[in-house]
Amino acid sequence: MSRPESLPDLATLRADTPGCERVVHFNNAGCGLLATPVLTAMTDHLNLEARIGGYEASAARETEVRAFYTEIAALINCGPGNVAFAGSATHAFATALSAIPFQAGDVILTTRNDFVSNQIAFLSLRKRFGVEIVHAPDAPEGGVDVAAMAALMRERRPRLVTATHIPTNSGLVQPVAEIGRHCRELDLLYLVDACQSVGQYPVDVAEIGCDLLTATCRKFLRGPRGSGFLYVSDRVLRAGYEPLFIDMHGARWVGPDRYRAVESAARFEEWEFPYATVLGCAAAARYARRVGLDAIASRSPALGARLRDGLGALPGVRTLDRGPRLGAIVTFSVEGWEPGPFKAAMDARGVNSALSFREFARFDFGDKDVDWCLRLSPHYYNTEEEVDRVVAAVADLRQGGPGVTGATGAPG
């Protein structure tokens, strides 16, 4: 499993993934199936906690716990001291935002294709501090217009520039490195949400040029739920950025009326850790690097393209993904079906999927004039046969389901 150019034997990868025996898992954008090494790392530690105690178990596994930072650092090309564990990508994103001393009139420059929770956080900052939210326009072919965004950077001098690498509601892959080059030229603070790209593509923070980057471990990285991380650049650490609520793990109480933040990204962490989860994340990052991110980045989007092409050829099915570069997330709408019954019908056929609604993507779904879509997201351990099976399932539902009557119930 060491060759980066091509995937290991698919049968081996599927044997490492027990869930493949039960379902066609096309919900990797929600939560990837755990590989056996990840599950083993977690259960072994929980068993150790049960035998000798929680504090004692974390002390005994100190070296393995530290490996979380080295594995994530190797995954995104930074130093271990630039990595902070987080309970989720949203928690990491909020913690990063809390470190920025926003004032009334500050501009947050973002895009129209962003994660819903990020947009809600910006609105909360506007409500509390009076910041201005500016959305860069999209290009005609889809995705952000980088030239227009760069012009807004020069014109508005935003306090923060932020972009989501791959939005949760679409297969679009945004040009975050191009945005980052303009940020560096203008010395602007740059925050990237890489929630859907880590584990699906190689992610290089030096190439992207970001100051802050957030991600989850549960999606395409195939780690456990309740885990994520925050990357913090050296320049942000040197500038003294720190979270609004910093605790005894991230700072030292050096006098009755003062504290000093630690020098590393640990200042963005809290003292309490879910150690079994941390060990599972380290195992997931290690596994992804063994498989090879270049190989994954070739296969997963190729499966997505096969799925998108198959669905796009079906009558009454509209594929929704737009942009010059598309990843493994595939979104589509189906005439005549309501969202709940359609997903239930896919569940009944052993296909894991997810629903997205207009409230998750106000700009994107508004432009596309859809209220909901089904999201499918294959990954490298899925097969072409599974893709074809899913396309056939959608075709069968479209042909024999409630499309004729417009009924909202599941078909009989």
Side-chain angles (χ1 to χ4, degrees), residues 105-186:
D106 282 348
V107 170
I108 296 175
L109 176 59
T110 183
T111 71
R112 291 167 55 84
N113 288 280
D114 197 9
F115 182 50
V116 53
S117 292
N118 300 349
Q119 290 290 314
I120 291 173
F122 302 151
L123 292 170
S124 177
L125 288 169
R126 185 177 71 179
K127 182 178 180 180
R128 178 163 296 194
F129 296 112
V131 304
E132 183 181 355
I133 307 165
V134 176
H135 294 90
D138 283 340
E141 67 273 18
V144 67
D145 184 329
V146 177
M149 192 172 193
L152 286 167
M153 292 182 200
R154 293 188 292 271
E155 176 187 348
R156 303 303 306 273
R157 299 297 305 184
R159 185 69 180 84
L160 175 69
V161 177
T162 179
T164 295
H165 197 179
I166 302 176
T168 188
N169 55 281
S170 169
L172 171 70
V173 181
Q174 294 274 45
V176 290
E178 293 181 40
I179 297 170
R181 283 193 288 274
H182 292 288
C183 289
R184 293 284 68 77
E185 291 171 2
L186 298 170

Side-chain angles (χ1 to χ4, degrees), residues 236-366:
V236 164
L237 292 173
R238 287 194 299 267
Y241 285 84
E242 61 187 46
L244 178 60
F245 297 108
I246 191 168
D247 80 350
M248 60 184 284
H249 180 77
R252 302 292 175 263
W253 197 12
V254 296
D257 59 352
R258 61 192 178 93
Y259 69 88
R260 182 178 64 248
V262 300
E263 294 184 357
S264 72
R267 70 180 66 164
F268 289 87
E269 296 177 331
E270 298 168 347
W271 183 84
E272 176 59 12
F273 276 77
Y275 284 95
T277 299
V278 171
L279 293 171
C281 293
R286 188 179 303 116
Y287 189 87
R289 294 200 304 115
R290 287 175 59 206
V291 173
L293 270 298
D294 288 335
I296 294 171
S298 175
R299 177 166 176 79
S300 294
L303 290 172
R306 182 186 182 105
L307 177 61
R308 196 176 292 112
D309 290 344
L311 293 171
L314 300 178
V317 174
R318 177 188 170 200
T319 55
L320 302 171
D321 308 300
R322 296 178 62 246
R325 185 184 183 192
L326 299 177
I329 297 176
V330 179
T331 59
F332 64 99
S333 60
V334 185
E335 290 181 3
W337 280 87
E338 293 296 322
F342 188 78
K343 184 182 183 305
M346 293 292 283
D347 292 345
R349 285 160 173 77
V351 178
N352 287 353
S353 63
L355 290 168
S356 286
F357 298 94
R358 185 176 285 229
E359 67 179 275
F360 298 169
R362 286 288 178 184
F363 298 118
D364 185 43
F365 278 24

Side-chain angles (χ1 to χ4, degrees), residues 28 72 75-76 165-166 192-205 208 213-223 229 284-285 288 293 296 379:
N28 292 283
I72 297 296
L75 190 72
I76 63 173
H165 197 179
I166 302 176
V192 172
D193 179 336
C195 213
Q196 297 288 5
S197 54
V198 167
Q200 181 181 175
Y201 287 104
V203 172
D204 185 329
V205 293
I208 293 172
L213 180 140
T214 61
T216 186
C217 297
R218 76 174 192 271
K219 296 179 184 289
F220 288 97
L221 192 57
R222 303 179 61 194
F229 63 86
L293 270 298
I296 294 171
H379 207 6

